[in-house]
Amino acid sequence: MLQLSVLRDQTDHVLAGLAKKRYATGPADVAAILDLNQRRRQLQTSHDSAQAEANELARQIGGLMKSGDKAGAETLKARTAELKQHTQSAAAELAQVEKEQQQLLYKLPNLPHTSVPEGRAAADNEIVREHGTKPELGSDAVPHWDLIKKYDIIDFELGVKITGAGFPVYKGQGARLQRALINFFLDEARAAGYTEMQPPILVNEASGYGTGQLPDKEGQMYHDAKDDLYLIPTAEVPLTNIYRDEIIPVEKLPVRITGHTPCFRREAGSWGADVRGLNRLHQFDKVEIVQITEPEHSYAALDTMVAHIEGLLQKLELPYRVLRLCGGDMGFTSALTFDLEVWSAAQGRWLEVSSASNFETYQANRLKCRYKVDGKTQLLHTLNGSALALPRIVAALLENNQTSEGIKLPAVLHSYCGFGMIIEKPVNDVLDIMKSKNKKDYTKYLFDGALHNKGQLVNAVVAKYVYKNPLVSIGKLFEIFPASIQGSWGVFTIKEQAESINNGITKKGTPAKPRYKTKPNNIIKVGQIEIATSDQWNTENISAFIEAATKVGFDINPDSTVETL
């Protein structure tokens, strides 16, 4: 909210800023506010004068009563009654004028920073810089809404059944990717000095007004009328409102906080190809970063926030660009906004994934978020940025990294996901194969190490390949997987045990007891995978195993330590 002193003392500057933001009714609204403010000051003066006179008469009445001049006291009492009625009338009118003035102030957007370019819409935004190389996909590349069906990781139809359009259900590797991105973003924010918070996702009206979502975005927010609570459109709302009606000690500045929340937006009036799939949702996850700083440090803080968000995109290996928004395209409450967009290779366009903004004193004035300088209370500056919103990040990751084998995820996410590639129908245990509808197609390729409690995971490497290629021959398996691991328990016995395991499913569908020709004499662990083997593994064995495991989607750090169990 703009300060009245600025409107009074810098009226021309205010009108120029509102014009830059394409706020059409600026001159009329500012004039109305100044008229109301003048009337408010007159009423306040009249009220205060009447109250002061009434207080003085009350003192005189006491003296007259003591001196026995009851007639004189009664005359003054009559005047006091008139003054009381006047102050009550003035107070009522003052309250109404202040309310009207406040509502008009809420309507005015923030003034743009001097660096904000002129412009009416997105086409007028300034490209500050671009980073990365746009991937060149093959002719068979498809957009993310086809990929999520192919890999069965997000279900929009199920979301429609449960809630409605725009509320997808994430499943399997899709759900794990969501959780991985959230944890990655939060870890990076903490490493950058932000304190993690977990705020409510329902806020009251005062919080909505505090950060400027109300009344400007009221039509886009989900509202529970019974309890008068709003579902948050962004974590900015609850995080920033932590400091509503607070005077923050200078030694605790700057405030740096972060939080993950689901976000809810009605997005009324949205349609077309630009909102297909994950491009626009009613519910989505986002990690937000917020700073509250002294005014002289706020634009340096904004630069660090943008750099932090760029660092996330670089680690995700996504080509991106940074835009400085023009006056006509920037947000209602912002003084300066940088948008960050990633390249969507299959859609062939840029997707906004983050906005980082400095609100200067606009939110702080609504929030009464202050600090003291030389004993004088001053407004602080507030800033926030998306770091990051998940849906379009996921869309770009899926589209830009699609291959014939699957979707290769950036290395930074492997440890968070527990896998490095999204593949069709991933098999985490060979027993999944044995329980599948087409188990007879696969049983002759299973091997007894797969049924050994310490050998299931190593043999799932081969089993995953078999699952995707059910007609593969034994000889082909030996060609694909390095000879150096064919001596491991299970892979070695695949040839010898093929016949004995061919009918290794009981009538109840449970694994039959394997017939071992040898016993494993060594159990080793590579990363998180335990392997039952009949001989000692050397460095060559381990390297070959990691290469084979990685081919079929296991995420194993090449530097994994090996231990004997």
Side-chain angles (χ1 to χ4, degrees):
M1 184 170 65
L2 298 179
Q3 299 176 70
L4 274 168
S5 59
V6 175
L7 267 70
R8 286 195 306 265
D9 301 338
Q10 304 177 48
T11 306
D12 290 342
H13 169 69
V14 170
L15 293 175
L18 295 177
K20 195 174 193 179
K21 273 205 165 181
R22 299 300 192 268
Y23 185 71
T25 61
D29 288 347
V30 170
I33 290 170
L34 293 178
D35 287 345
L36 285 168
N37 183 246
Q38 180 65 26
R39 177 59 180 158
R40 187 201 68 79
R41 296 169 81 178
Q42 292 171 350
L43 288 168
Q44 188 70 61
T45 300
S46 176
H47 174 277
D48 293 347
S49 297
Q51 189 63 57
E53 184 181 350
N55 292 339
E56 174 60 23
L57 291 177
R59 185 187 66 79
Q60 293 178 19
I61 289 170
L64 292 172
M65 293 295 289
K66 286 182 181 180
S67 65
D69 187 356
K70 292 184 179 180
E74 290 300 323
T75 300
L76 294 184
K77 283 182 180 180
R79 174 57 180 163
T80 301
E82 292 175 1
L83 291 171
K84 182 178 181 180
Q85 184 176 5
H86 176 78
T87 55
Q88 289 175 342
S89 176
E93 187 179 354
L94 182 62
Q96 181 60 34
V97 168
E98 287 179 336
K99 181 179 179 181
E100 292 177 15
Q101 175 184 277
Q102 191 75 356
Q103 291 303 313
L104 279 175
L105 282 170
Y106 281 143
K107 283 181 59 181
L108 292 182
N110 198 1
L111 302 180
H113 186 261
T114 54
S115 66
V116 171
E118 292 281 356
R120 292 183 175 277
D124 301 316
N125 292 335
E126 173 192 338
I127 300 175
V128 179
R129 55 185 168 272
E130 191 171 320
H131 181 276
T133 303
K134 297 177 183 177
E136 295 183 6
L137 302 180
S139 58
D140 58 344
V142 295
H144 70 273
W145 49 82
D146 290 333
L147 292 169
I148 61 179
K149 289 182 178 179
K150 177 180 179 180
Y151 294 102
D152 194 26
I153 54 176
I154 303 174
D155 196 324
F156 282 97
E157 289 74 17
L158 189 55
V160 170
K161 172 185 176 181
I162 297 170
T163 308
F167 296 88
V169 174
Y170 299 85
K171 47 201 289 197
Q173 289 183 304
R176 292 172 67 186
L177 177 59
Q178 287 282 113
R179 180 159 47 88
L181 284 167
I182 292 164
N183 288 336
F184 167 58
F185 294 154
L186 287 173
D187 286 350
E188 291 292 307
R190 287 198 304 273
Y194 293 86
T195 300
E196 184 177 349
M197 313 289 280
Q198 191 173 41
I201 61 173
L202 282 164
V203 294
N204 55 31
E205 186 179 66
S207 293
Y209 273 92
T211 45
Q213 277 68 30
L214 294 176
D216 179 57
K217 295 292 190 295
E218 186 168 10
Q220 297 294 339
M221 296 174 70
Y222 288 98
H223 181 220
D224 174 19
K226 185 175 181 180
D227 294 316
D228 196 21
L229 295 174
Y230 294 84
L231 280 169
I232 62 171
T234 166
E236 165 199 346
V237 182
L239 290 178
T240 312
N241 270 278
I242 291 172
Y243 297 93
R244 175 158 44 94
D245 298 321
E246 295 286 334
I247 296 177
I248 304 175
V250 174
E251 61 270 18
K252 292 188 177 181
L253 294 172
V255 170
R256 294 190 184 98
I257 53 178
T258 185
H260 155 251
T261 64
C263 303
F264 303 88
R265 299 180 185 180
R266 294 186 62 243
E267 301 288 7
S270 298
W271 66 85
D274 289 352
V275 301
R276 192 172 178 184
L278 296 171
N279 287 344
R280 184 159 296 176
L281 301 174
H282 293 310
Q283 177 181 333
F284 61 93
D285 288 280
K286 180 158 68 79
V287 171
E288 193 80 4
I289 52 175
V290 170
Q291 288 203 39
I292 301 176
T293 75
E294 296 158 288
E296 61 268 27
H297 301 314
S298 67
Y299 279 96
L302 180 60
D303 289 340
T304 66
M305 294 172 78
V306 172
H308 172 76
I309 298 165
E310 288 188 70
L312 298 177
L313 297 175
Q314 290 168 15
K315 290 180 179 180
L316 291 174
E317 302 171 27
L318 291 172
Y320 68 88
R321 67 180 184 179
V322 181
L323 305 177
R324 189 194 311 268
L325 298 195
C326 69
D329 194 41
M330 62 192 303
F332 182 85
T333 55
S334 172
L336 176 62
T337 295
F338 291 101
D339 270 7
L340 288 91
E341 300 178 334
V342 296
W343 179 249
S344 169
Q347 296 180 68
R349 65 191 189 93
W350 294 98
L351 301 177
E352 178 199 335
V353 293
S354 175
S355 285
S357 300
N358 188 346
F359 305 97
E360 296 188 356
T361 61
Y362 189 88
Q363 287 183 334
N365 192 27
R366 289 182 174 217
L367 295 160
K368 299 297 180 282
C369 179
R370 299 153 292 172
Y371 74 123
K372 285 188 175 180
V373 183
D374 299 326
K376 187 178 180 180
T377 302
Q378 302 281 356
L379 292 171
L380 287 158
H381 280 195
T382 63
L383 309 90
N384 69 56
S386 305
L388 289 156
L390 268 66
R392 294 171 187 169
I393 289 290
V394 171
L397 287 174
L398 297 178
E399 293 183 9
N400 295 4
N401 298 304
Q402 56 185 298
T403 70
S404 58
E405 293 83 20
I407 297 169
K408 293 182 179 180
L409 297 177
V412 73
L413 293 180
H414 291 187
S415 60
Y416 286 96
C417 290
F419 53 87
M421 180 180 287
I422 295 176
I423 60 174
E424 292 183 78
K425 299 178 181 178
V427 180
N428 294 318
D429 193 314
V430 293
L431 295 182
D432 290 344
I433 297 174
M434 300 183 72
K435 296 174 184 177
S436 70
K437 293 180 180 179
N438 300 318
K439 59 192 175 188
K440 290 184 179 179
D441 294 337
Y442 304 123
T443 52
K444 66 180 180 179
Y445 303 121
L446 298 178
F447 33 90
D448 64 11
L451 304 178
H452 190 278
N453 63 346
K454 291 291 185 181
Q456 289 180 359
L457 284 176
V458 64
N459 295 303
V461 171
V462 178
K464 274 191 176 187
Y465 187 87
V466 172
Y467 187 81
K468 292 176 65 177
N469 304 273
L471 300 180
V472 68
S473 66
I474 299 295
K476 185 63 175 177
L477 284 176
F478 275 86
E479 290 178 18
I480 296 171
F481 295 97
S484 55
I485 68 166
Q486 291 175 14
S488 68
W489 181 253
V491 179
F492 172 76
T493 58
I494 188 169
K495 186 187 297 182
E496 298 179 4
Q497 294 293 323
E499 292 298 325
S500 63
I501 210 68
N502 189 31
N503 297 310
I505 305 293
T506 68
K507 292 181 179 179
K508 295 182 179 180
T510 57
K513 183 177 180 180
R515 290 174 284 178
Y516 296 115
K517 292 194 173 184
T518 59
K519 295 289 184 182
N521 57 23
N522 190 34
I523 306 280
I524 67 170
K525 188 174 184 181
V526 180
Q528 297 300 312
I529 297 182
E530 293 181 351
I531 304 163
T533 179
S534 56
D535 58 6
Q536 292 287 340
W537 277 22
N538 57 29
T539 303
E540 184 181 1
N541 297 136
I542 295 165
S543 298
F545 168 75
I546 291 173
E547 179 185 347
T550 304
K551 282 183 179 181
V552 287
F554 275 111
D555 179 44
I556 305 174
N557 187 334
D559 299 323
S560 295
T561 57
V562 179
E563 55 183 308
T564 300
L565 304 181

